[in-house]
Amino acid sequence: MELNKIKSFGLFLAFVTLISGCATETHQKVAVTPVETNNTVYTGPKSTLVLGEFNNRSNYMQGLFSSNIDKLGNQGKTILKTHLQQTNRFKVVDRENLANMKKEAELLGIKQEIKGARYVISGGVTEFGRKVIGDKQLFGILGSGKSQIAYAKVSLNIIDVLTSEIIYSTQGAGEFQLNERQVVGFGSKAGYDATLNGKVLDFAIKESVNNMTRDLESGKLNFAL
């Protein structure tokens, strides 16, 4: 009888060890919200746009110990390029990969026919910030809460390369908030979420591009032929 108990306990320990030693992996599709005019029919003229400078003009990541690489500006430029192309209202040309494209054209044995752009779109992140706010109920005994908030504001300008005139300007802003709350020791407790930076930047740029397409279709944005 005692031997059976020992065997049973040994099997139990082996089972617990097996479970604790197993790694689990999960994945899921995350929906991405495109610009408003994505996959919509458009029959009007498409003006050619080239991306100019897009920089981080805010105070975020501009301190004494920040690097010389404009990570926020580079991220924003990639997002802007994608959203502009998704509108199906503009011809967006890429000047950042000219050297690589020239090399590939040479390998194919063909001559490049680079198209010029009449208009440059430039801008930057004018406001960006993170903050954490919290509250406590009965000095934290009954519960506490914390919110991580990220805010971004973006400005865009369209410039006529023939006259250097700014023919159009728009702005977009957004805020993302992550909330957590504990009640009598129970509830969620999240660490710093760096993805809020990308989410709020994407949202602000998307709003700016949506403004452009709305004004294009209403006649407020006019391109010279």
Side-chain angles (χ1 to χ4, degrees), residues 36-58:
E36 292 177 351
T37 57
N38 181 243
N39 292 326
T40 61
V41 178
Y42 178 70
T43 58
K46 295 183 180 181
S47 296
T48 303
L49 296 178
V50 61
L51 267 68
E53 292 187 355
F54 190 93
N55 304 317
N56 176 21
R57 303 291 185 179
S58 72

Short mmCIF file of all heavy atoms in Angstrom, two decimals, residues 36-58:
data_model
loop_
_atom_site.label_atom_id
_atom_site.label_comp_id
_atom_site.label_asym_id
_atom_site.label_seq_id
_atom_site.Cartn_x
_atom_site.Cartn_y
_atom_site.Cartn_z
N GLU A 36 -9.46 56.30 -44.72
CA GLU A 36 -10.89 56.23 -45.05
C GLU A 36 -11.15 55.82 -46.50
O GLU A 36 -12.12 55.12 -46.78
CB GLU A 36 -11.55 57.59 -44.78
CG GLU A 36 -11.61 57.96 -43.30
CD GLU A 36 -12.21 59.33 -43.07
OE1 GLU A 36 -12.41 60.07 -44.07
OE2 GLU A 36 -12.49 59.67 -41.91
N THR A 37 -10.31 56.27 -47.42
CA THR A 37 -10.57 56.03 -48.84
C THR A 37 -9.91 54.76 -49.38
O THR A 37 -9.92 54.53 -50.59
CB THR A 37 -10.11 57.23 -49.68
OG1 THR A 37 -8.72 57.46 -49.43
CG2 THR A 37 -10.90 58.48 -49.31
N ASN A 38 -9.33 53.97 -48.50
CA ASN A 38 -8.68 52.75 -48.95
C ASN A 38 -9.70 51.83 -49.63
O ASN A 38 -10.80 51.60 -49.13
CB ASN A 38 -8.05 52.03 -47.76
CG ASN A 38 -7.34 50.77 -48.15
OD1 ASN A 38 -7.71 49.68 -47.71
ND2 ASN A 38 -6.34 50.88 -48.99
N ASN A 39 -9.31 51.30 -50.80
CA ASN A 39 -10.16 50.38 -51.58
C ASN A 39 -11.47 51.01 -52.05
O ASN A 39 -12.46 50.32 -52.28
CB ASN A 39 -10.47 49.11 -50.78
CG ASN A 39 -9.24 48.26 -50.55
OD1 ASN A 39 -8.35 48.20 -51.40
ND2 ASN A 39 -9.17 47.60 -49.41
N THR A 40 -11.50 52.35 -52.18
CA THR A 40 -12.67 53.02 -52.74
C THR A 40 -12.38 53.44 -54.17
O THR A 40 -11.23 53.66 -54.56
CB THR A 40 -13.07 54.26 -51.91
OG1 THR A 40 -11.98 55.19 -51.92
CG2 THR A 40 -13.42 53.88 -50.49
N VAL A 41 -13.42 53.55 -54.98
CA VAL A 41 -13.27 53.90 -56.40
C VAL A 41 -12.98 55.39 -56.54
O VAL A 41 -13.64 56.22 -55.91
CB VAL A 41 -14.54 53.51 -57.17
CG1 VAL A 41 -14.40 53.92 -58.64
CG2 VAL A 41 -14.81 52.02 -57.04
N TYR A 42 -12.00 55.71 -57.37
CA TYR A 42 -11.65 57.11 -57.64
C TYR A 42 -11.30 57.25 -59.11
O TYR A 42 -10.47 56.52 -59.64
CB TYR A 42 -10.46 57.54 -56.77
CG TYR A 42 -10.00 58.95 -57.01
CD1 TYR A 42 -10.77 60.03 -56.61
CD2 TYR A 42 -8.77 59.20 -57.64
CE1 TYR A 42 -10.34 61.34 -56.83
CE2 TYR A 42 -8.34 60.49 -57.85
CZ TYR A 42 -9.13 61.55 -57.44
OH TYR A 42 -8.71 62.84 -57.66
N THR A 43 -11.94 58.19 -59.78
CA THR A 43 -11.73 58.39 -61.21
C THR A 43 -11.11 59.73 -61.54
O THR A 43 -10.90 60.05 -62.70
CB THR A 43 -13.07 58.25 -61.96
OG1 THR A 43 -14.00 59.22 -61.43
CG2 THR A 43 -13.65 56.85 -61.80
N GLY A 44 -10.83 60.53 -60.52
CA GLY A 44 -10.25 61.85 -60.75
C GLY A 44 -8.77 61.78 -61.04
O GLY A 44 -8.14 60.72 -60.99
N PRO A 45 -8.15 62.93 -61.36
CA PRO A 45 -6.71 62.97 -61.64
C PRO A 45 -5.89 62.70 -60.37
O PRO A 45 -6.30 63.06 -59.26
CB PRO A 45 -6.49 64.40 -62.14
CG PRO A 45 -7.61 65.19 -61.54
CD PRO A 45 -8.78 64.26 -61.47
N LYS A 46 -4.74 62.07 -60.55
CA LYS A 46 -3.84 61.78 -59.44
C LYS A 46 -2.56 62.59 -59.61
O LYS A 46 -1.82 62.39 -60.57
CB LYS A 46 -3.51 60.29 -59.38
CG LYS A 46 -4.69 59.39 -59.07
CD LYS A 46 -4.24 57.93 -58.95
CE LYS A 46 -5.39 57.01 -58.64
NZ LYS A 46 -4.94 55.59 -58.50
N SER A 47 -2.32 63.49 -58.68
CA SER A 47 -1.10 64.29 -58.72
C SER A 47 0.05 63.49 -58.11
O SER A 47 -0.14 62.69 -57.19
CB SER A 47 -1.30 65.59 -57.94
OG SER A 47 -2.28 66.39 -58.55
N THR A 48 1.26 63.73 -58.64
CA THR A 48 2.44 63.03 -58.15
C THR A 48 3.02 63.76 -56.95
O THR A 48 3.28 64.97 -57.01
CB THR A 48 3.50 62.92 -59.25
OG1 THR A 48 2.94 62.26 -60.38
CG2 THR A 48 4.70 62.13 -58.76
N LEU A 49 3.22 63.03 -55.88
CA LEU A 49 3.78 63.59 -54.65
C LEU A 49 5.09 62.89 -54.33
O LEU A 49 5.20 61.67 -54.44
CB LEU A 49 2.82 63.39 -53.47
CG LEU A 49 1.47 64.10 -53.50
CD1 LEU A 49 0.66 63.71 -52.26
CD2 LEU A 49 1.64 65.60 -53.57
N VAL A 50 6.07 63.66 -53.91
CA VAL A 50 7.32 63.09 -53.40
C VAL A 50 7.45 63.51 -51.94
O VAL A 50 7.12 64.63 -51.57
CB VAL A 50 8.54 63.57 -54.22
CG1 VAL A 50 8.69 65.08 -54.15
CG2 VAL A 50 9.81 62.87 -53.74
N LEU A 51 7.90 62.58 -51.12
CA LEU A 51 8.05 62.87 -49.70
C LEU A 51 9.32 63.65 -49.45
O LEU A 51 10.41 63.24 -49.85
CB LEU A 51 8.07 61.57 -48.89
CG LEU A 51 6.73 61.09 -48.35
CD1 LEU A 51 5.81 60.67 -49.48
CD2 LEU A 51 6.92 59.97 -47.36
N GLY A 52 9.14 64.80 -48.80
CA GLY A 52 10.29 65.60 -48.39
C GLY A 52 10.68 65.24 -46.97
O GLY A 52 10.59 64.09 -46.55
N GLU A 53 11.08 66.23 -46.21
CA GLU A 53 11.49 65.99 -44.82
C GLU A 53 10.27 65.75 -43.93
O GLU A 53 9.24 66.38 -44.08
CB GLU A 53 12.28 67.19 -44.29
CG GLU A 53 13.64 67.38 -44.94
CD GLU A 53 14.45 68.47 -44.26
OE1 GLU A 53 13.91 69.13 -43.35
OE2 GLU A 53 15.61 68.66 -44.64
N PHE A 54 10.43 64.81 -43.03
CA PHE A 54 9.44 64.56 -41.99
C PHE A 54 10.22 64.30 -40.71
O PHE A 54 10.82 63.23 -40.56
CB PHE A 54 8.53 63.38 -42.35
CG PHE A 54 7.36 63.24 -41.42
CD1 PHE A 54 6.14 63.83 -41.73
CD2 PHE A 54 7.47 62.54 -40.23
CE1 PHE A 54 5.06 63.72 -40.86
CE2 PHE A 54 6.40 62.42 -39.36
CZ PHE A 54 5.19 63.01 -39.68
N ASN A 55 10.20 65.27 -39.83
CA ASN A 55 11.07 65.20 -38.66
C ASN A 55 10.28 65.30 -37.36
O ASN A 55 9.12 65.71 -37.34
CB ASN A 55 12.10 66.35 -38.69
CG ASN A 55 12.92 66.36 -39.96
OD1 ASN A 55 13.36 65.31 -40.41
ND2 ASN A 55 13.11 67.53 -40.54
N ASN A 56 10.95 64.92 -36.31
CA ASN A 56 10.40 65.09 -34.97
C ASN A 56 10.72 66.49 -34.49
O ASN A 56 11.85 66.81 -34.13
CB ASN A 56 11.00 64.05 -34.02
CG ASN A 56 10.53 64.24 -32.58
OD1 ASN A 56 9.50 64.86 -32.33
ND2 ASN A 56 11.28 63.69 -31.65
N ARG A 57 9.71 67.36 -34.49
CA ARG A 57 9.88 68.75 -34.05
C ARG A 57 9.44 68.95 -32.61
O ARG A 57 9.45 70.08 -32.11
CB ARG A 57 9.08 69.68 -34.97
CG ARG A 57 9.42 69.58 -36.44
CD ARG A 57 10.80 70.12 -36.73
NE ARG A 57 11.10 70.13 -38.16
CZ ARG A 57 12.24 70.57 -38.68
NH1 ARG A 57 13.19 71.01 -37.86
NH2 ARG A 57 12.44 70.55 -39.98
N SER A 58 9.00 67.90 -31.97
CA SER A 58 8.55 68.00 -30.59
C SER A 58 9.75 67.91 -29.64
O SER A 58 10.89 67.72 -30.06
CB SER A 58 7.55 66.89 -30.27
OG SER A 58 8.20 65.64 -30.20
#
